Amino acid sequence: MLTSIGYGQEHQDPLTRLFSPSSDRIYQARQRAAKASRIATQIETNAAVEKVDYSVLDEQATVEMIEPGVEYMGEEPMMMEPAMHAGHQHGPGCESCGTESCGSSCGDCGQCNDCMMMCIPLCFRLNWDDFSLHAGAQGFKNGLNRGMDGSFGYLYGFNWGMPIGFLPKSGLGFQVGMSGSNANLYEASFTDSTREQTFFTVGLFRRVDWGWQGGLVFDHLKDQWYYDVEVSQVRGQLSWVFPKCNELGFQFSASDSEGTGSTTVSVPGANTMQIDETIAATNLYTFFWRRRLDDCGKSMRILGGWTGDSQGLLGADFHLPLTKCLALDTGFTFLLPDQQDGRTQNQEEAWNIGINLVWYPRCGSASGSTSYYRPLMNVANNGDFILRRQ
């Protein structure tokens, strides 16, 4: 019977095991797979076992191949029982697309061999593998459309995730992103102004393969139309990731700062009105189910919840890799309106639908699905940053 006694994984304190870096978790998962193969073969054949091929570990150049304190059996290192957070094990129920379409071929673009370090004022390792650019079209409507014309235009921006350099064993990631939006390009029935928006998102997150994962970000929006306002919100997410393909979680958006201003509106059939009002983000509370569809990064999410004004909320989004470097992101959000503060349901209605082409310079559309530091939260948009008039 094979045994291994040493200062290995099970002797690490729980905090160290919980917050081990992604490279260690990948290494440990591969070691466990190799160990299981050896033991199973020996039990079934009751014969000598050929050496397990550990050359696969050479793909992770940054992984320390043998950790201090791990005892050996012959020439092969043996690891103790795994920690909770193992490598990606999709298991039965996920349809794998195979390695030819999205496996090692994604490595042709190279791994993080040209990471940069930035230490002003905190140290972050800038990993280009988790950087993406997006561009597409969107249609939306919220309280500032005043129950009349919706807004349609185009959206563009970037999202970037990276590990935190001064907390290498925490597993925490840092993300930053920005999106610009141009809509109402041919004016509206009540104003001749085009609508320009700038979204900014920054925050922290932690990804796992099995267990609790979550993040907290700060969103800021500058919205210029027949008014000029700046508002912000805090958005958080907490979910339980199952060891196969499913994830259940909760997400919230809470208004942080409000915008005020004076504006002029020309309502059809009425005189021009001078309006002073306060603009804020709608508080949103949603439960969601995310399903990983295969090992290539395809996923879908369905959500439902309510707002701070007790209105309903429905939505869904999809991530579909097209090539090694391109993916398609699409989704919608719909706020189920009711009469609020003397306004009609049409005036309270809010919705967003969009489609974006996402470019990963380092082939992350497929390999990015296994990265612990790809952004957990999307850059804020009109689906999760819904403006309302107070």
Side-chain angles (χ1 to χ4, degrees):
M1 180 176 179
L2 296 177
T3 59
S4 177
I5 302 176
Y7 193 80
Q9 184 73 6
E10 69 178 12
H11 287 81
Q12 296 178 1
D13 62 90
L15 187 63
T16 301
R17 293 174 63 182
L18 182 62
F19 294 103
S20 58
S22 60
S23 59
D24 291 346
R25 284 177 269 167
I26 295 172
Y27 169 72
Q28 292 161 9
R30 292 179 175 179
Q31 286 282 22
R32 288 195 297 275
K35 178 182 177 181
S37 175
R38 165 181 288 202
I39 295 175
T41 304
Q42 186 177 42
I43 291 175
E44 293 178 0
T45 63
N46 196 25
V49 181
E50 296 183 1
K51 293 182 179 180
V52 178
D53 182 12
Y54 284 89
S55 62
V56 66
L57 298 178
D58 295 335
E59 297 176 7
Q60 296 293 331
T62 60
V63 176
E64 184 178 354
M65 298 301 296
I66 301 175
E67 297 182 353
V70 178
E71 293 194 6
Y72 298 66
M73 297 187 57
E75 298 180 358
E76 304 292 350
M78 300 298 293
M79 301 297 295
M80 301 301 291
E81 291 304 311
M84 171 81 66
H85 308 288
H88 284 264
Q89 304 293 330
H90 300 311
C94 289
E95 297 179 1
S96 175
C97 60
T99 57
E100 292 184 1
S101 60
C102 71
S104 59
S105 62
C106 292
D108 295 341
C109 294
Q111 300 298 323
C112 185
N113 297 321
D114 57 351
C115 294
M116 300 182 297
M117 286 296 293
M118 178 180 293
C119 292
I120 305 174
L122 304 177
C123 290
F124 300 99
R125 185 176 298 277
L126 303 185
N127 184 351
W128 291 97
D129 292 347
D130 300 312
F131 175 81
S132 65
L133 296 170
H134 59 267
Q138 65 167 350
F140 62 97
K141 181 181 179 182
N142 54 41
L144 298 183
N145 292 79
R146 318 192 80 85
M148 291 182 275
D149 302 353
S151 298
F152 179 82
Y154 50 90
L155 183 72
Y156 47 87
F158 74 91
N159 204 5
W160 200 354
M162 62 200 77
I164 300 178
F166 66 94
L167 294 174
K169 295 185 179 297
S170 68
L172 288 175
F174 172 81
Q175 70 173 82
V176 59
M178 181 176 291
S179 286
S181 170
N182 300 91
N184 293 97
L185 304 178
Y186 302 100
E187 307 172 357
S189 62
F190 58 94
T191 177
D192 58 1
S193 299
T194 58
R195 190 172 191 175
E196 297 182 356
Q197 296 177 308
T198 303
F199 296 92
F200 176 75
T201 296
V202 61
L204 300 175
F205 65 92
R206 184 171 187 269
R207 282 188 177 275
V208 301
D209 299 302
W210 180 11
W212 293 107
Q213 78 175 11
L216 188 68
V217 297
F218 172 81
D219 299 323
H220 184 79
L221 167 62
K222 182 177 178 61
D223 196 350
Q224 297 173 293
W225 196 12
Y226 59 88
Y227 51 80
D228 187 352
V229 297
E230 294 190 39
V231 295
S232 61
Q233 68 175 15
V234 175
R235 187 160 45 108
Q237 183 182 119
L238 180 65
S239 64
W240 178 266
V241 180
F242 291 87
K244 293 183 180 179
C245 310
N246 298 299
E247 177 186 350
L248 293 176
F250 175 78
Q251 181 170 311
F252 74 91
S253 300
S255 177
D256 177 62
S257 66
E258 303 170 345
T260 59
S262 176
T263 185
T264 300
V265 178
S266 300
V267 180
N271 296 327
T272 299
M273 299 183 298
Q274 184 73 22
I275 300 175
D276 296 311
E277 55 191 0
T278 300
I279 309 300
T282 303
N283 295 333
L284 307 177
Y285 310 95
T286 57
F287 290 95
F288 67 86
W289 167 58
R290 181 182 282 114
R291 170 83 175 180
R292 191 170 53 244
L293 301 178
D294 60 21
D295 293 335
C296 295
K298 294 178 183 177
S299 65
M300 59 172 285
R301 185 178 67 147
I302 299 175
L303 60 90
W306 66 97
T307 73
D309 295 321
S310 301
Q311 298 171 315
L313 192 71
L314 297 174
D317 54 56
F318 304 87
H319 176 74
L320 304 173
L322 303 177
T323 69
K324 291 182 293 184
C325 296
L326 291 175
L328 195 66
D329 282 356
T330 182
F332 77 92
T333 304
F334 180 57
L335 186 152
L336 306 175
D338 59 14
Q339 295 184 4
Q340 299 275 342
D341 300 325
R343 292 191 286 266
T344 66
Q345 287 181 298
N346 183 261
Q347 291 175 319
E348 286 293 302
E349 181 184 31
W351 49 266
N352 177 75
I353 184 169
I355 182 169
N356 282 279
L357 189 64
V358 188
W359 177 54
Y360 299 83
R362 304 279 290 183
C363 297
S365 65
S367 62
S369 64
T370 63
S371 170
Y372 291 102
Y373 297 109
R374 70 189 188 279
L376 180 67
M377 315 276 278
N378 62 283
V379 181
N381 57 50
N382 289 288
D384 46 42
F385 203 141
I386 301 177
L387 297 181
R388 62 188 176 92
R389 296 179 286 139
Q390 292 187 322

